[in-house]
Amino acid sequence: MIKNLLVANRGEIALRVFRTCAELGIARAAVFSDADADAPHVAGADAAVRLPGTAPSDTYLRADLLVAAARATGADAVHPGYGFLSENAAFARAVLDAGLTWIGPPPEAIEAMGSKVEAKRLMAGAGVPVLAELDPAKVTEADLPVLVKASAGGGGRGMRVVRELGELAGAVRSASAEAASAFGDPTVFCERYLETGRHIEVQVLADEHGTVWAVGERECSIQRRHQKVLEEAPSPLVDDAMREELFDAARKAAKAIGYVGAGTVEFLATSGGEFFFLEMNTRLQVEHPVTELVTGLDLVAEQIRVAEGHPLPADPPQWTGHAIEARLYAEDPAAGWQPQTGTLHRFEVPGDVRVDTGVAAGSVIGVAYDPMLAKVIAWAPDRAGAARKLATALAGARIHGVRTNRDLLVNVLRHDAFLAGDIDTAFFDRHGLDVLARPLGDERLAAAAAAFADAAANRTGHRLPSGWRNLPSAPQRKRYAVGEAEYEIAYSFGRDGARVVGGVDGTDVALVHATPDHVVLDVGGVRRAFDVGRYPGLVCVGPVSLTPLPRFTEPGAALAAGSLVAPMPGTVLRVAVQAGDTVAAGDPLLWLEAMKMEHRISAPADGVVDQLPVSVGQQVEVGAVLAVVTTSAKETA
């Protein structure tokens, strides 16, 4: 019987495992890097061990330190979570060799699925449908488009879509370099790329006594950069006949490698119901909560029971209703999915939904780890009800301090195509980020509310109203930025109250009531209320985050023309040019690595690299000048 369990991971998954441990009466042990010293998962543990450093290679990827931490805390079992070393056979063996219980499949099963190339061959032999592997050196025009994939790892890293043969060599080099950095293995391969495929996966659970469950399928087709954004169970594509075929293939896959524990067999399906094996994740999945909500299972508890040697019942539970999960990321979808950093001042999600998170108010979101803040999951008797419940909860969430993909998630959940089940891995391309990432709130109205809230704060403790004059005078003015957009609000206080001069977009706007944290406006005869969060350098009005702007620009604040600045803190990974080089618009200049992803910085126009003040390995802060490209003489003539 397991008495004390160490989670060799961080953040949301560590807290998720701890929740089950608390219910089962198992002591909880944590590890933490220097960046995570004040993280909620550390506070949620009974004991915690510091892993000196911040980089994953120095901390969460150090098997020796993790095993030592288990011994130091008196743990008798290790749960790997997901990511990091969760699918590392050598780590599993190190845990077992230390006399500890491994909450996962046998190392041999991990090895069998560790190489996507070998896994596909093994699955083909077991009768599981697979997409043919293509040698990058032998790909022809007839094979296009193809997907270049890392043989080890996942999560979208080391993956490139190639539609033109001339781009293949560069994509292979780039994917191989990224795979080597992320997984320590540069091996890549190619396979046919289905432009509008459906990502369907089957949750399996197997014990050491020969019972293998196919618990249910999940659809994970809404993706960005080959990473899942929305997941649901069951899939709107899968009918009873297809489900039985999927379950049969998943059980064959698990039995072929002697699988024990919880795992996921992933397939790429066509709209016609044809499907092909992608990979098997030999661990718990990020999206496991949707399966838990429709089946009533606690998959972490089942993992622990299987690891303790208990048999599974003969048949898995049946599911009921529908569940949808949204991954809430600190990122800006409209700006190429750029990761965002900062202090999370407030984090509240209302409604009858499940929130799995590793952050809280006061958490600092940095660049060292994945930008996912939380998973928000809703269950309802039917799919439409689950989508409505989840969208409502996300729209009403108070997430102050960091830009997120919340608006995108809500827009997708309310989109007619999504509600009709017309989804695939090209959903964002088909419907356009300009539409899907549009703001939920009216930014100009939010700026007006922010101005009146600020005025209310200014007059706190004063007897005269803000902006009061005994003679008519010019209106008060305040300026705010929302991303690249700027809004100036002019308002005046008169005998009949305060109003926005000129209205908002031609509609009269008058103040009904204002405090520093709540404003009621009359907008064309309709009263609208706004909750306001005010922080240093930030005002949050409903779902809109605004940056107050100074009335006058600081001297010397402007950057040189052609300056390219860091969109986020990160590390310079590669540099493709030198000062003095001539470049064309779109040419890559350098790559930043932040939050486990590569971000390409490209030339904005034809010109010459006038300055290149950074080098490989250099840490840069947001706003730092990375390069200056001056317009070519030909263009200026």
Side-chain angles (χ1 to χ4, degrees):
M1 178 180 291
I2 293 171
K3 298 177 181 178
N4 188 344
L5 188 151
L6 176 107
V7 178
N9 216 295
R10 63 178 297 278
E12 170 266 323
I13 185 55
L15 286 170
R16 164 67 191 92
V17 175
F18 287 165
R19 186 166 67 246
T20 292
C21 287
E23 293 172 356
L24 297 179
I26 298 173
R28 300 156 294 181
V31 288
F32 63 93
S33 68
D34 290 341
D36 281 338
D38 298 319
H41 82 271
V42 179
D46 298 305
V49 174
R50 174 182 174 239
L51 306 176
T54 295
S57 58
D58 297 328
T59 55
Y60 299 108
L61 291 176
R62 286 281 302 273
D64 57 334
L65 297 183
L66 296 170
V67 171
R71 287 176 169 148
T73 57
D76 53 3
V78 173
H79 192 298
Y82 45 70
F84 296 127
L85 295 177
S86 61
E87 295 179 279
N88 185 293
F91 178 49
R93 285 198 177 93
V95 170
L96 293 170
D97 290 345
L100 306 171
T101 298
W102 168 250
I103 311 295
E108 295 76 17
I110 298 174
E111 282 178 331
M113 293 292 104
S115 165
K116 292 183 176 65
V117 174
E118 295 304 319
K120 287 165 71 80
R121 294 170 183 166
L122 184 60
M123 291 299 101
V128 179
V130 300
L131 283 171
E133 174 197 342
L134 302 173
D135 183 341
K138 298 180 180 179
V139 171
T140 67
E141 289 280 358
D143 297 318
L144 300 176
V146 297
L147 182 65
V148 180
K149 297 179 69 174
S151 181
R157 292 177 291 282
M159 297 179 71
R160 303 288 188 275
V161 178
V162 177
R163 294 184 173 85
E164 296 184 14
L165 201 58
E167 299 175 352
L168 180 61
V172 168
R173 286 195 300 270
S174 177
S176 180
E178 188 175 12
S181 173
F183 314 119
D185 184 348
T187 306
V188 297
F189 66 98
C190 294
E191 66 185 18
R192 170 184 159 205
Y193 180 63
L194 301 182
E195 294 277 7
T196 57
R198 305 279 289 255
H199 190 120
I200 311 294
E201 61 189 32
V202 178
Q203 175 71 57
V204 296
L205 194 63
D207 63 23
E208 60 187 32
H209 307 284
T211 299
V212 179
W213 283 358
V215 180
E217 88 278 356
R218 298 185 287 255
E219 172 129 5
C220 310
S221 296
I222 304 293
Q223 301 182 3
R224 59 98 166 98
R225 291 180 170 178
H226 308 292
Q227 289 183 314
K228 302 162 189 173
V229 177
L230 285 168
E231 302 105 343
E232 57 184 304
S235 164
L237 171 70
V238 178
D239 58 20
D240 289 342
M242 182 180 178
R243 180 169 293 115
E244 186 51 44
E245 292 179 2
L246 280 166
F247 285 9
D248 180 62
R251 286 189 291 260
K252 285 179 178 176
K255 291 177 180 178
I257 59 173
Y259 200 80
V260 175
T264 303
V265 186
E266 301 196 352
F267 300 94
L268 190 63
T270 66
S271 58
E274 188 181 17
F275 61 87
F276 306 93
F277 173 83
L278 277 178
E279 62 184 351
M280 183 173 184
N281 295 122
T282 54
R283 53 169 168 80
L284 197 66
Q285 289 280 84
V286 176
E287 58 272 19
H288 74 274
V290 293
T291 297
E292 293 184 324
L293 289 186
V294 297
T295 62
L297 285 171
D298 179 334
L299 288 173
V300 175
E302 295 300 328
Q303 284 185 296
I304 292 172
R305 292 189 183 100
V306 166
E308 290 177 330
H310 299 294
L312 294 169
D315 298 311
Q318 296 301 303
W319 67 81
T320 180
H322 202 98
I324 305 177
E325 172 180 293
R327 298 194 193 186
L328 187 65
Y329 285 104
E331 66 182 10
D332 185 355
W337 311 100
Q338 288 179 0
Q340 303 293 298
T341 60
T343 299
L344 194 61
H345 299 297
R346 190 173 182 181
F347 184 72
E348 300 172 2
V349 182
D352 179 24
V353 293
R354 171 173 163 176
V355 180
D356 285 13
T357 182
V359 300
S363 292
V364 176
I365 311 304
V367 298
Y369 309 114
D370 187 272
M372 189 176 75
L373 300 179
K375 304 178 308 193
V376 185
I377 314 102
W379 178 93
D382 56 42
R383 186 172 184 268
R388 183 183 302 112
K389 181 184 289 187
L390 183 55
T392 300
L394 287 168
R398 294 177 174 88
I399 311 164
H400 297 172
V402 180
R403 185 182 293 272
T404 73
N405 66 335
R406 181 263 303 278
D407 293 5
L408 172 92
L409 296 172
V410 174
N411 289 328
V412 171
L413 289 164
R414 292 173 173 170
H415 198 281
D416 289 342
F418 178 84
L419 293 173
D422 181 16
I423 56 178
D424 54 48
T425 53
F427 190 89
F428 293 138
D429 294 330
R430 285 197 293 118
H431 297 288
L433 277 179
D434 56 336
V435 174
L436 297 174
R438 68 185 185 276
L440 291 180
D442 185 311
E443 294 178 353
R444 191 173 292 277
L445 266 182
F452 285 122
D454 188 48
N458 289 339
R459 69 173 176 263
T460 300
H462 299 281
R463 298 181 63 183
L464 294 179
S466 174
W468 185 89
R469 301 288 188 277
N470 60 1
L471 292 173
S473 63
Q476 303 294 300
R477 297 180 183 275
K478 293 187 182 296
R479 294 170 57 237
Y480 300 92
V482 181
E484 298 297 320
E486 292 187 12
Y487 301 98
E488 181 174 84
I489 301 298
Y491 61 93
S492 61
F493 288 85
R495 296 183 184 279
D496 58 346
R499 64 184 59 251
V500 176
V501 177
V504 172
D505 295 329
T507 301
D508 184 59
V509 176
L511 176 65
V512 177
H513 173 75
T515 67
D517 57 9
H518 189 75
V519 173
V520 179
L521 299 178
D522 184 300
V523 184
V526 178
R527 289 194 175 188
R528 301 192 182 278
F530 301 86
D531 288 323
V532 182
R534 304 172 67 253
Y535 313 96
L538 178 70
V539 182
C540 298
V541 181
V544 181
S545 295
L546 307 103
T547 302
L549 297 176
R551 293 184 63 187
F552 305 103
T553 303
E554 291 290 333
L559 292 171
S563 294
L564 297 172
V565 299
M568 70 209 77
T571 303
V572 178
L573 192 64
R574 299 194 302 281
V575 176
V577 297
Q578 296 179 347
D581 285 355
T582 299
V583 293
D587 283 354
L589 304 180
L590 55 91
W591 287 262
L592 285 182
E593 183 177 50
M595 292 184 175
K596 300 163 64 176
M597 295 293 291
E598 284 190 14
H599 306 273
R600 190 171 87 167
I601 306 299
S602 302
D606 295 352
V608 175
V609 180
D610 186 56
Q611 298 178 39
L612 190 69
V614 296
S615 57
V616 173
Q618 183 175 335
Q619 298 281 332
V620 296
E621 295 298 322
V622 63
V625 175
L626 303 174
V628 177
V629 177
T630 57
T631 306
S632 65
K634 181 179 180 180
E635 283 190 338
T636 57

